[in-house]
Amino acid sequence: MIARTVMVAIMLLLALALQTTVFVVLPTGWFRPDLMLLIAVAFALTDGQLPGVRIGFAAGLLTDMLVALTPAGIASLVYAGVGYAVGGIRPYLAATSASAPLIIAFGSGIVGTATYGTIALLLGDERLTATMLLQVVSAVAFYNVVLAVPVFALVRRLAARFPLTGGTADEPVF
């Protein structure tokens, strides 16, 4: 259990480092993939709702504190909600489907980014316009699809190496 928690923490920190260093200098224009959201979605698709919410909240909290320029808490709320939703549709997907992770990555990129941007707009973020939000949503969804295959493969491999244990009221699951 502790090994899994440490593994998830290391993975999130490495993803945050990639997102803030490598993806910033890549020639992807002003937009870049949301690797933290993609990791939360991958864990939700692999392990279910509860790990999706918890890892989504942790990824959102890291994003809120270290990356985002919007009010703190938006990414935590959005990533946890997307993790919950993806974990909820997990039982209805074929376990060996090759297209499901790509579709989920695209859809979660759209929903997560649109929700994040809409909340930021409602809270008065003057740097964001509706036109820019549409551009960001489409670009992030596209980039998340491109990164979905390696991220989902890595998460599945690590989840198999460090399986979930517990799940009862006495043993919390991360």
Side-chain angles (χ1 to χ4, degrees), residues 20-83:
T20 57
T21 58
V22 175
F23 292 152
V24 173
V25 297
L26 287 178
T28 58
W30 187 74
F31 313 113
R32 55 184 175 264
D34 194 346
L35 194 55
M36 301 298 277
L37 177 64
L38 192 58
I39 287 175
V41 166
F43 273 105
L45 196 59
T46 303
D47 294 333
Q49 282 181 321
L50 193 56
V53 169
R54 290 179 176 169
I55 293 170
F57 182 79
L61 192 61
L62 284 171
T63 301
D64 280 333
M65 296 300 133
L66 300 174
V67 178
L69 300 174
T70 55
I74 297 175
S76 301
L77 175 69
V78 170
Y79 292 7
V82 170

Side-chain angles (χ1 to χ4, degrees), residues 63-114:
T63 301
D64 280 333
M65 296 300 133
L66 300 174
V67 178
L69 300 174
T70 55
I74 297 175
S76 301
L77 175 69
V78 170
Y79 292 7
V82 170
Y84 181 80
V86 170
I89 62 171
R90 176 181 159 244
Y92 304 105
L93 300 174
T96 59
S97 174
S99 61
L102 299 175
I103 294 168
I104 296 295
F106 184 77
S108 65
I110 289 174
V111 170
T113 308

